[in-house]
């Protein structure tokens, strides 16, 4: 995996998130119908509605696809890249949820085989390891963050609506500052 520079400040993270406007999950724009900016906002907004007290989960939704901006075209590694980038600022749980959003897709594809994926998600599933086998399903389900990762994945799948107004990125600055402050407090 290429070395991923860690994000050290909320200001730096906001700049990256704003740079997602006009950036897409595929370099040729053949993927999902919304840019990374709108997708992150929609995913985070859905999580805020369904889990209003879990700020880390909401923030994971906001930043989960930053890997597409950092390393365009690396579908298999985008979650790991995003997780490594945000870990220094947002902490281990946010990074872990970001990392798990791809295994959660593989898990859901195994336990809900009739579940629809966007055309781009269906295409990238194979590059990301394909549908989980029975042993992988059991291991994933036993993970303490599995439920939150599945919730993130479901919001990720739903947050691809062209023209949906999910607010503005600046509205997330106080939440990012809160999560960053909590992560800093936990750092030994």
């Amino acid at each position: 995996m290429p070395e991923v520079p860690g994000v050290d400040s909320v200001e730096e993270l906001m700049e990256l998130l704003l740079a997602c406007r006009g950036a897409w999950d595929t370099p040729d724009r053949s993927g999902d119908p919304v840019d990374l900016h709108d997708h992150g906002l929609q995913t985070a907004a859905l999580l805020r509605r369904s889990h209003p007290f879990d700020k880390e989960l909401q923030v994971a939704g906001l930043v989960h696809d930053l890997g597409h901006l950092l390393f365009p075209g690396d579908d298999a590694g985008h979650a790991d890249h995003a997780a490594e980038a945000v870990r220094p600022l947002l902490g281990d749980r946010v990074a872990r949820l970001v990392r798990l959003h791809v295994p959660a897709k593989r898990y859901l594809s195994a336990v809900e085989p009739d579940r629809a994926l966007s055309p781009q998600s269906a295409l990238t599933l194979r590059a990301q390891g394909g549908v989980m086998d029975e042993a992988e399903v059991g291991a994933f389900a036993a993970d303490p963050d599995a439920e939150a990762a599945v919730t993130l994945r479901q919001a990720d799948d739903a947050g691809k609506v062209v023209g949906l107004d999910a607010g503005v990125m600046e509205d997330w600055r106080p939440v990012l500052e809160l999560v960053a402050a909590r992560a800093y407090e936990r750092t030994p």
Side-chain angles (χ1 to χ4, degrees):
M1 179 166 94
E3 188 171 333
V4 179
V7 177
D8 295 320
S9 69
V10 170
E11 191 58 40
E12 183 181 351
L13 181 56
M14 286 296 295
E15 288 174 14
L16 279 174
L17 290 168
L18 291 169
C20 287
R21 184 172 294 289
W24 301 80
D25 60 339
T26 56
D28 66 0
R29 290 186 58 171
S30 63
D32 289 326
V34 295
D35 66 13
L36 296 174
H37 176 274
D38 289 353
H39 176 57
L41 283 173
Q42 289 180 26
T43 303
L46 289 165
L47 292 166
R48 181 173 45 209
R49 266 186 233 121
S50 67
H51 292 76
F53 301 108
D54 192 343
K55 302 302 184 200
E56 291 173 330
L57 178 60
Q58 296 166 28
V59 165
L62 189 67
V63 303
H64 75 281
D65 273 349
L66 277 178
H68 287 301
L69 178 73
L70 299 170
F71 294 93
D74 188 357
D75 291 321
H78 84 278
D80 291 334
H81 299 315
E84 287 310 306
V86 301
R87 178 186 311 285
L89 179 66
L90 301 176
D92 290 335
R93 181 166 183 256
V94 171
R96 184 156 168 66
L97 292 174
V98 167
R99 180 168 273 124
L100 287 174
H101 88 272
V102 169
K105 174 171 74 171
R106 296 180 59 228
Y107 169 82
L108 285 169
S109 295
V111 300
E112 298 177 12
D114 295 332
R115 185 173 182 277
L117 292 171
S118 73
Q120 183 62 20
S121 286
L123 184 66
T124 59
L125 178 63
R126 183 179 188 101
Q128 295 166 337
V131 176
M132 283 185 174
D133 63 31
E134 191 175 322
E136 290 173 312
V137 165
F140 181 84
D143 189 300
D145 288 320
E147 185 178 337
V150 165
T151 299
L152 170 57
R153 182 74 227 179
Q154 291 165 333
D156 179 9
D157 291 338
K160 300 175 182 183
V161 180
V162 175
L164 179 69
D165 182 1
V168 296
M169 197 61 74
E170 191 60 34
D171 291 344
W172 285 94
R173 183 184 296 271
V175 181
L176 292 170
E177 290 170 346
L178 175 70
V179 170
R182 288 179 182 166
Y184 179 77
E185 290 169 4
R186 289 188 200 118
T187 304

